[in-house]
Amino acid sequence: MNDIANKITRAAQLLRAGELVAFPTETVYGLGADARNPIALAKIFAAKDRPADHPLIVHLPDATHLGTWAIDIPAAARMLAAACWPGPLTLILQRHPAVPDLVTGGQNTIGVRMPNHPVALALLHEFGSGIAAPSANKFGRISPTTAAHVQQELGESGEKNVAMILDGGACAVGIESTIVDMTSATPRILRPGAISADTLRRLLHAPVHDSHATQPTEREKNTPRVSGSLAAHYAPRTPLQMCAVESLPAAIAAALQEGQRVAVLAPEPVPPLPAHPRIIRRIASADFSQFAHDLYAALRELDAANCDLILVATPPDNEAWRAVNDRLRRAAAGSGTDSGNR
Ligand code: TXA
Ligand code: MG
């Protein structure tokens, strides 16, 4: 057996023993626990400092497991699972009565997905059941897209509670899965991701509500069912501002004038920026998939650069860029504090 196969066997044993295992998916790294074991689930909330009413996504080895986690599964949900799994799509369904409350945050629904990463799939097959896994970061902080990020966020073993971190390289997608609520007549996107509303409409030949295209209702604002729906999330500690590309030179000049160190994430070729010891520059891709792939690593790197301000060139405002713009807005809203949004 090679090294990674050994590690996966060990990781499955640890999960069975009620321990936490961080593992790669195609979106971001997850912090996994046996989704049937309330004691193991409680460790996730402790490790992340996550409020207990935030439900967890259950990762499945394949769609044949759906019936042990959800009931009244609509045909449209099965169709999406068949078309998109393994892949970055989470389905919200009616929960099965046997699912622990900690998974669902006490709600009568459950989020499930089958991730598209060979290490995650091997672990799920070895474990043979659902693995509950939020992103492996402190609550409100930037999601990890490498094993090193997980190590920085949560550490391995001991007091920090994470028994093992499986390394599967950098995540291909780089931002969290699309979440679609399948429990009402018209499916509704709760969190935009790599699989767009248009793709879902095409697959279903039916309407799909894109809640991010409309204002949230008062009730939605007050019940944070999706932690990504809190205004502040995915946040660096350094204040982050969005800035139109053409206004960047003026914004940078103003920051320098005030003696600030400024980090800039902008595509090439923007108006040429002066070489200055207090400007740190990272090139952003003009392609949205590549931008998403790089985004969290870039934010981590710029956040670690000890600047007073991170300026991000605002990407195009269209459907393709929706998920990226959503994460950037939230990063800006939550930036500049030590605690993020609790
Ligand atoms: O790509 C992903 O989805 C990653 C990887 C690890 O799979 N996971 C992830 O988990 O992003 P987390 O916990 O960071 O975000 C999951 C979101 C949370 O905002 C949670 O509130 C929402 O899914 N969620 C889970 N179950 C739900 C439910 N029954 N109803 C509504 N939202 C739910
Ligand atoms: Mg998360």
Side-chain angles (χ1 to χ4, degrees), residues 10 13 39 55 90 108 129 133 139 160 166 185 190-191 198 243 259 263 279 317 323 337:
R10 174 85 189 119
Q13 285 166 353
I39 294 167
T90 295
N108 55 11
S129 177
F139 185 65
K160 297 226 171 126
L166 285 171
L190 301 181
R191 179 175 72 184
D198 281 346
C243 181
I279 301 179
D317 183 19
T337 67

Side-chain angles (χ1 to χ4, degrees), residues 39-89:
I39 294 167
L41 293 166
K43 291 183 186 172
I44 290 181
F45 292 88
K48 277 184 63 98
D49 298 328
R50 176 170 167 127
D53 61 353
H54 277 278
L56 304 171
I57 294 172
V58 175
H59 297 66
L60 304 179
D62 59 57
T64 64
H65 287 252
L66 271 173
T68 56
W69 299 92
I71 53 171
D72 298 336
I73 303 166
R78 291 199 184 275
M79 194 192 292
L80 290 181
C84 300
W85 286 0
L89 181 70

Side-chain angles (χ1 to χ4, degrees), residues 69-138:
W69 299 92
I71 53 171
D72 298 336
I73 303 166
R78 291 199 184 275
M79 194 192 292
L80 290 181
C84 300
W85 286 0
L89 181 70
T90 295
L91 301 172
I92 304 296
L93 301 167
Q94 293 298 334
R95 79 188 268 190
H96 191 289
V99 177
D101 277 343
L102 272 177
V103 167
T104 64
Q107 303 181 70
N108 55 11
T109 56
I110 182 170
V112 285
R113 87 176 189 100
M114 177 184 177
N116 187 17
H117 190 292
V119 172
L121 290 171
L123 177 65
L124 283 160
H125 282 120
E126 178 79 23
F127 184 62
S129 177
I131 300 177
S135 51
N137 52 279
K138 290 281 182 192

Side-chain angles (χ1 to χ4, degrees), residues 27 50 55 59 109 113 134-135 176-177 179 191 225-227:
T27 57
R50 176 170 167 127
H59 297 66
T109 56
R113 87 176 189 100
S135 51
E176 302 81 356
S177 60
I179 300 180
R191 179 175 72 184
R225 298 207 313 167
V226 180
S227 56

Side-chain angles (χ1 to χ4, degrees), residues 26-42:
E26 80 281 36
T27 57
V28 301
Y29 274 70
L31 181 61
D34 178 353
R36 297 265 181 228
N37 179 344
I39 294 167
L41 293 166

